[in-house]
Amino acid sequence: MIIGNFSYNGEFDTYSGEITTLTLQRSNVVFRPTEKNGEREPDYRIVQERDGLMVEFGAAWKRSSERGRDFLSVLLDDPALSSSLNAALFPSDQDDKATLVWQRQQKKATRAEPEAARTTRAKRSSAGRTANLG
């Protein structure tokens, strides 16, 4: 799902645009490059610039897909969100545009309970009910 559209400025190595979801609506969003002092530090800080103020609400790391396509792995956080949001910023191959994409993570399937455990639990429950009737 596309949640943002950005333009790339090669002179300053920045992405500028907006992010829009049902709960997060930010305009004047800028991905600003950072000076990394370590491998785990982000390549970009994500800020919103408005009325002369700057608020940071995310970070991004340069990555490459298995197919060799470059993108930014994005982490957004905001008090209005129940938890942080992971997304990816994909630059266009033809122009200086980029798209911010988000996909809900699939819930992990619960493992089926082994048959022996279900049978044992059912027998215990049944025995308890019988004992209470007597």
Side-chain angles (χ1 to χ4, degrees):
M1 175 182 317
I2 296 172
I3 61 170
N5 293 293
F6 290 82
S7 297
Y8 180 69
N9 181 325
E11 182 180 349
F12 298 106
D13 188 25
T14 58
Y15 292 89
S16 301
E18 60 184 35
I19 299 172
T20 304
T21 71
L22 292 176
T23 57
L24 183 67
Q25 297 172 356
R26 300 276 180 116
S27 57
N28 301 321
V29 175
V30 180
F31 285 57
R32 294 205 174 280
T34 63
E35 287 189 30
K36 293 178 68 158
N37 294 320
E39 196 58 34
R40 292 182 167 219
E41 291 185 19
D43 295 292
Y44 293 87
R45 296 287 180 187
I46 303 169
V47 299
Q48 180 182 33
E49 299 175 341
R50 188 172 62 189
D51 301 328
L53 300 174
M54 187 168 27
V55 177
E56 181 178 332
F57 67 101
W61 293 261
K62 293 179 182 178
R63 300 284 189 256
S64 290
S65 71
E66 292 175 1
R67 297 180 191 159
R69 184 173 181 195
D70 292 336
F71 69 98
L72 296 180
S73 175
V74 176
L75 177 70
L76 301 175
D77 207 352
D78 186 286
L81 301 173
S82 60
S83 66
S84 58
L85 184 144
N86 293 300
L89 185 72
F90 292 100
S92 170
D93 293 332
Q94 289 95 24
D95 55 18
D96 290 334
K97 302 291 181 193
T99 305
L100 185 64
V101 178
W102 170 81
Q103 183 175 0
R104 184 177 305 279
Q105 291 184 353
Q106 298 293 324
K107 291 183 180 179
K108 294 181 182 178
T110 57
R111 275 188 13 183
E113 186 177 5
E115 180 64 30
R118 282 196 305 268
T119 303
T120 302
R121 193 176 69 238
K123 285 180 182 177
R124 283 187 205 143
S125 177
S126 179
R129 282 193 301 263
T130 304
N132 289 336
L133 293 175

